[in-house]
């Protein structure tokens, strides 16, 4: 999934997974990107690149969501919405909107931290998508944000504030500086990014909704307006639906580029890179893509060639610690994972009254579903524990399916495969339970086009093939259940998950050990 630097062109998307609502900056020769993380922890992912095409995940700026009690259980459509990343006065700054609490910021001297604890800049419901601007010409500071109608009853408008240069507070009550209701045909105006260029204040902001929308640009000689607008990127006759919401960045040689997302159902919001130039139509407006249409491929940015790279997916869990690519579905608690001297993720079978519904569990360790057909595999051992203890590999969204191991009343371990429909409040069997001698299995999900998932397993028990009638496939794997079509959550693409749990009760319920987590691309496209 990484780009070959020997190729003269790159191909979109450059980040083929759910890196929602991206924002990007350049500091020296380095480019940095952050994205929405909603209710997952750690939050505010931090990605690095030197060529705008190959990206690696270098950390997170937010280790826990606050207030902690409100994120003790999954809240997939809450938390961190559409952050803005900036570099000012020798520090990195990230502002984001929590739709239920207000505008927050964190800052750090280096991209890898240490990051400050979240600071509430403006309290209120429905305040989303904030972006700051420090005006180097005047020394003034500003902030613009959008509105979530679900919390405030207001949407389709952008509000501007003067901000203290320290970035800690706003200096006025704010003023609506762009009202989308006054622009014919515009709706769901949100996600603003604020810039200063060529004597103008610029706001890059999307409208029209995540699946069908477009990218707008607004400009004014004064921060509080009036602003004039122009559509600068839209689908036109391409197959890239709703190309919008992202950030503008300039390379050291003076090239301009725009990174934005495309909503792709269960795959979430994948990230595209578009060429950009100024001066369209003789009026100094930005021209993005191919005269306002997204490009599928393009000449690479004029930047030094870099080795192929992509955010990590595979993991051996050295020392029992998950890699940076993993996030919990809520604030984690002590004891969910045990650190040790060997490889392998040792998860505690957490007791819960919600064992019948993975969507309600905070202790699911997740990573993004690749946007390309792939095969996901992991080894699982269910260690000593009580009846009802279980663990497995899940594809998780509004509907979900998982395959794994469960200890029965007689102490034996069986291979189980379960699923829950979107409208169901509890799971049911996707296939009959099967023996799993030794309490071990290698689990597999083949994810085809359209996020259609085919589950299979290998328990090492070839003698059991005749009993099931499945027939062993590649490497002894046997298919399980019907094809499952992955679904997104609200604002979030489907996730791959590892989980260990047990019914309510007293005492230790056991542990599960995951090893050799691997994702193999099935049909790798030409290198980007």
């Amino acid at each position: 999934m990484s780009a070959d630097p020997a190729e003269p062109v790159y191909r979109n998307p450059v980040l083929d997974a759910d890196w929602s609502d991206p924002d990007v900056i350049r500091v020296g020769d380095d480019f940095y990107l952050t994205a929405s993380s909603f209710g997952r922890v750690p939050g505010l992912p931090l990605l690095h690149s030197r060529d705008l095409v190959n990206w690696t995940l270098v950390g997170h700026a937010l280790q826990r969501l606050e207030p902690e009690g409100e994120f003790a259980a999954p809240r997939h459509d809450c938390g961190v919405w559409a952050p803005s990343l900036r570099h000012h006065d020798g520090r990195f700054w990230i502002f984001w909107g929590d739709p239920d609490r207000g505008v927050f910021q964190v800052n750090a001297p280096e991209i890898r931290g240490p990051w400050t604890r979240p600071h509430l800049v403006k309290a209120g419901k429905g305040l989303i998508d904030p972006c700051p601007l420090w005006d180097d010409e005047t020394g003034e500071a500003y902030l613009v944000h959008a509105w979530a109608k679900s919390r405030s009853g207001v949407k389709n408008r952008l509000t501007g504030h003067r901000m203290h240069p320290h970035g800690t507070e706003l200096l006025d009550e704010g003023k609506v500086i762009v009202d989308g209701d006054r622009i014919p045909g515009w709706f769901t105006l949100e996600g603003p990014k604020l810039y200063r260029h060529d004597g103008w204040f610029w706001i890059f902001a999307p409208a029209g909704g995540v699946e069908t929308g477009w990218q707008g640009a607004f400009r004014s000689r004064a921060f509080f307006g009036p602003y004039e607008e122009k559509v600068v990127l839209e689908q036109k006759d391409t197959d890239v639906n709703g190309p919008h919401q992202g950030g503008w960045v300039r390379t050291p040689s003076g090239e301009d580029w725009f990174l934005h997302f495309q909503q792709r159902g269960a795959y979430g919001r994948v990230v595209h890179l578009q060429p950009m130039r100024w001066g369209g139509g003789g009026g100094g407006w930005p021209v993005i893509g191919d005269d306002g249409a997204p490009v599928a491929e393009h000449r690479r940015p004029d930047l030094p060639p870099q080795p192929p790279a992509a955010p990590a997916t595979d993991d051996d869990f050295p020392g029992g610690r998950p890699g940076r690519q993993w996030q919990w579905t809520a604030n984690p608690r002590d004891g969910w994972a045990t650190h040790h001297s060997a490889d392998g993720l040792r998860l505690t079978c957490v007791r819960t009254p919600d064992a019948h519904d993975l969507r309600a569990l905070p202790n699911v360790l997740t990573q993004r579903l690749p946007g390309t057909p792939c095969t996901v595999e992991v080894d699982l051992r269910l260690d000593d524990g009580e009846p009802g203890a279980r663990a497995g590999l899940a594809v998780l969204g509004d509907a979900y399916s998982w395959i794994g191991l469960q200890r029965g009343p007689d102490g034996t371990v069986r291979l189980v495969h379960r699923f829950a429909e979107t409208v169901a409040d509890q799971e049911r069997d996707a296939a009959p339970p099967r023996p799993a001698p030794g309490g071990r299995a290698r689990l597999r999900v083949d994810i085809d086009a359209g996020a259609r998932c085919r589950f299979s397993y290998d328990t090492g028990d070839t003698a059991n093939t005749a009993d099931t009638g499945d027939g062993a496939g590649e490497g002894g794997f046997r298919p399980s259940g019907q094809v499952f079509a992955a679904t997104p959550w609200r604002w979030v693409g489907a996730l791959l998950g590892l989980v260990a749990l047990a019914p309510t009760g007293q005492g230790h319920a056991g542990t599960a050990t995951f090893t050799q987590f691997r994702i193999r691309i099935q049909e790798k496209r030409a290198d980007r």
Side-chain angles (χ1 to χ4, degrees):
M1 296 178 64
S2 58
D4 183 349
E7 290 286 329
V9 300
Y10 71 90
R11 294 173 177 84
N12 277 316
V14 292
L15 285 166
D16 201 358
D18 187 22
W19 301 96
S20 178
D21 313 319
D23 194 22
V24 62
I25 61 170
R26 177 178 66 87
V27 180
D29 294 328
D30 298 288
F31 299 91
Y32 300 103
L33 181 148
T34 192
S36 295
S37 50
F38 300 100
R40 302 197 300 279
V41 180
L44 289 173
L46 303 167
L47 288 83
H48 170 257
S49 176
R50 287 207 162 186
D51 64 0
L52 289 171
V53 175
N54 291 283
W55 292 88
T56 57
L57 178 64
V58 297
H60 292 81
L62 189 62
Q63 295 308 307
R64 299 184 72 82
L65 288 163
E66 298 184 3
E68 292 210 10
E70 292 188 11
F71 293 94
R75 301 181 68 199
H76 306 296
D77 60 349
C78 301
V80 176
W81 283 25
S84 293
L85 174 63
R86 293 292 181 265
H87 190 261
H88 167 71
D89 197 23
R91 297 186 71 85
F92 291 88
W93 300 77
I94 301 178
F95 284 67
W96 76 92
D98 178 323
D100 299 302
R101 301 197 65 226
V103 173
F104 287 87
Q105 61 96 336
V106 292
N107 59 87
E110 305 289 342
I111 195 68
R112 290 174 175 81
W115 289 85
T116 61
R117 286 189 62 177
H119 173 78
L120 184 61
V121 178
K122 180 183 179 182
K125 288 189 175 294
L127 311 179
I128 59 169
D129 309 350
C131 184
L133 171 70
W134 286 270
D135 188 346
D136 293 334
E137 296 180 16
T138 65
E140 297 288 320
Y142 305 95
L143 184 131
V144 63
H145 69 80
W147 294 87
K149 187 174 182 179
S150 60
R151 272 71 164 189
S152 65
V154 174
K155 72 168 188 174
N156 205 33
R157 63 191 64 174
L158 306 179
T159 295
H161 294 267
R162 292 179 61 242
M163 183 177 73
H164 194 292
H166 290 165
T168 56
E169 60 182 319
L170 304 180
L171 302 180
D172 56 35
E173 294 300 313
K175 175 185 176 182
V176 175
I177 57 177
V178 179
D179 186 346
D181 290 344
R182 295 179 177 271
I183 308 174
W186 285 57
F187 60 95
T188 317
L189 177 63
E190 57 188 351
K193 297 293 181 283
L194 181 59
Y195 306 98
R196 199 84 155 94
H197 172 68
D198 197 26
W200 296 87
F201 287 92
W202 290 90
I203 300 174
F204 285 32
V210 295
E211 294 184 351
T212 58
W214 58 89
Q215 181 67 35
F218 300 81
R219 70 180 184 182
S220 173
R221 292 295 185 183
F223 172 70
F224 287 105
Y227 283 84
E228 53 184 323
E229 81 283 343
K230 183 179 179 68
V231 174
V232 293
L233 182 70
E234 55 187 325
Q235 181 172 354
K236 295 190 176 180
D237 61 355
T238 75
D239 60 0
V240 180
N241 61 294
H244 69 268
Q245 187 154 340
W248 161 46
V249 68
R250 175 167 285 177
T251 69
S253 66
E255 287 185 345
D256 295 303
W257 297 86
F258 183 73
L259 284 138
H260 67 90
F261 77 69
Q262 173 198 9
Q263 171 67 37
R264 291 191 57 220
Y267 300 114
R269 301 174 184 182
V270 304
V271 178
H272 292 239
L273 176 66
Q274 301 296 337
M276 176 176 146
R277 59 184 173 85
W278 290 92
W285 290 91
V287 179
I288 301 177
D290 180 10
D291 196 23
V295 299
E297 63 180 46
H298 193 269
R299 172 188 55 81
R300 299 171 66 89
D302 181 20
L303 293 163
Q306 301 296 317
T313 56
D314 295 355
D315 206 348
D316 289 319
F317 310 104
R321 292 172 172 83
R324 294 188 183 102
Q325 66 267 36
W326 297 96
Q327 297 170 291
W328 299 100
T329 47
N331 280 328
R333 302 171 197 167
D334 291 341
W336 284 358
T338 302
H339 297 164
H340 52 86
S341 60
D343 289 351
L345 178 69
R346 189 178 299 160
L347 295 183
T348 299
C349 294
V350 176
R351 293 188 180 277
T352 174
D354 296 315
H356 57 280
D357 189 352
L358 300 191
R359 295 165 295 198
L361 301 182
N363 60 304
V364 185
L365 193 61
T366 67
Q367 67 166 281
R368 292 161 179 82
L369 188 74
T372 302
C374 64
T375 296
V376 182
E377 291 185 10
V378 68
D379 282 334
L380 170 62
R381 183 184 75 237
L382 189 62
D383 300 318
D384 290 341
E386 69 170 37
R390 67 200 75 166
L393 168 65
V395 177
L396 198 58
D398 277 337
Y400 73 84
S401 187
W402 72 279
I403 190 167
L405 300 173
Q406 178 170 330
R407 190 170 299 278
D410 60 356
T412 61
V413 176
R414 300 182 73 82
L415 190 292
V416 295
H417 181 190
R418 299 195 174 106
F419 78 103
E421 302 165 86
T422 300
V423 297
D425 58 6
Q426 61 182 6
E427 64 189 23
R428 55 196 179 99
D429 284 335
R434 300 171 172 92
R440 297 172 179 265
R442 185 150 184 86
L443 311 172
R444 174 188 284 181
V445 187
D446 291 297
I447 306 173
D448 299 327
R452 291 170 58 83
C453 304
R454 302 175 187 273
F455 288 78
S456 58
Y457 66 96
D458 179 6
T459 59
D461 180 24
T462 56
N464 207 31
T465 303
D467 297 334
T468 65
D470 292 331
E474 176 193 347
F477 278 90
R478 297 193 286 272
S480 180
Q482 301 299 313
V483 173
F484 170 76
T487 63
W489 272 327
R490 186 174 176 84
W491 315 133
V492 180
L495 298 167
L496 300 171
L498 304 177
V499 64
L501 64 152
T504 55
Q506 300 297 319
H508 183 63
T511 60
T513 301
F514 295 87
T515 54
Q516 293 186 316
F517 183 92
R518 299 288 184 268
I519 296 181
R520 185 175 71 253
I521 301 302
Q522 292 179 359
E523 300 173 4
K524 191 171 182 178
R525 305 169 307 179
D527 283 334
R528 290 196 295 276

